[in-house]
């Protein structure tokens, strides 16, 4: 008992052990979090923190779109949808081409000769 009371480095040793245990705990938690991080179904990359939060937070999950794809793949989907919508808008705005109207007969008319 007197040896424990005479040891002046006991508190420093305890603080060192506590610091190492805290670091190991932080590292373990980070590894567990990375293991839970979703992977994109299309390209196979792990989600960024922003995309992961976007698909898990309720108020932004509604606008997140396909929750199985990462941010860049989602941006590609959005660009593709916008391009398709723009093409449909331009097609709807263009005048329709006449269909089924036969060309007039060149050989017959009021003042043309019959050959």
């Amino acid at each position: 008992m007197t040896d424990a009371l005479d040891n002046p480095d006991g508190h420093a040793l305890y603080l060192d052990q506590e610091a190492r245990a805290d670091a190991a705990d932080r590292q373990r938690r980070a590894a567990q979090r990375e293991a839970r991080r979703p992977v994109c179904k299309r390209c196979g990359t792990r989600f960024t923190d922003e995309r992961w939060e976007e698909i898990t937070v309720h108020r932004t999950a509604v606008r997140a779109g396909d929750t199985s794809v990462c941010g860049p793949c989602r941006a590609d989907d959005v660009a593709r949808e916008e391009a398709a919508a723009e093409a449909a808008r331009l097609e709807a705005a263009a005048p329709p081409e006449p269909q089924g109207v036969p060309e007039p007969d060149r050989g017959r008319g009021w003042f043309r000769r019959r050959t």
Side-chain angles (χ1 to χ4, degrees), residues 18-97:
E18 185 179 28
R20 279 189 271 144
D22 286 344
D25 187 47
R26 280 193 305 274
Q27 187 177 16
R28 180 185 52 80
R29 286 184 187 183
Q32 287 176 346
R33 184 172 192 274
E34 287 301 313
R36 286 191 321 261
R37 185 180 295 269
V39 177
C40 179
K41 301 281 188 220
R42 197 172 301 156
C43 66
T45 59
R46 293 202 176 266
F47 283 24
T48 61
D49 289 336
E50 293 83 20
R51 178 67 177 158
W52 193 8
E53 182 179 330
E54 186 179 84
I55 66 167
T56 55
V57 175
H58 177 67
R59 62 182 158 75
T60 58
V62 176
R63 298 175 303 198
D66 187 3
T67 58
S68 65
V69 294
C70 64
C73 290
R74 173 69 181 140
D76 291 344
D77 289 347
V78 169
R80 195 175 307 116
E81 290 169 3
E82 288 175 355
E86 180 69 17
R89 187 188 64 76
L90 290 175
E91 184 178 320
E97 294 181 17

Side-chain angles (χ1 to χ4, degrees), residues 105-114:
D105 232 357
R106 291 273 180 197
R108 297 190 177 189
W110 286 97
F111 299 106
R112 292 194 185 234
R113 281 195 209 170
R114 289 186 169 187

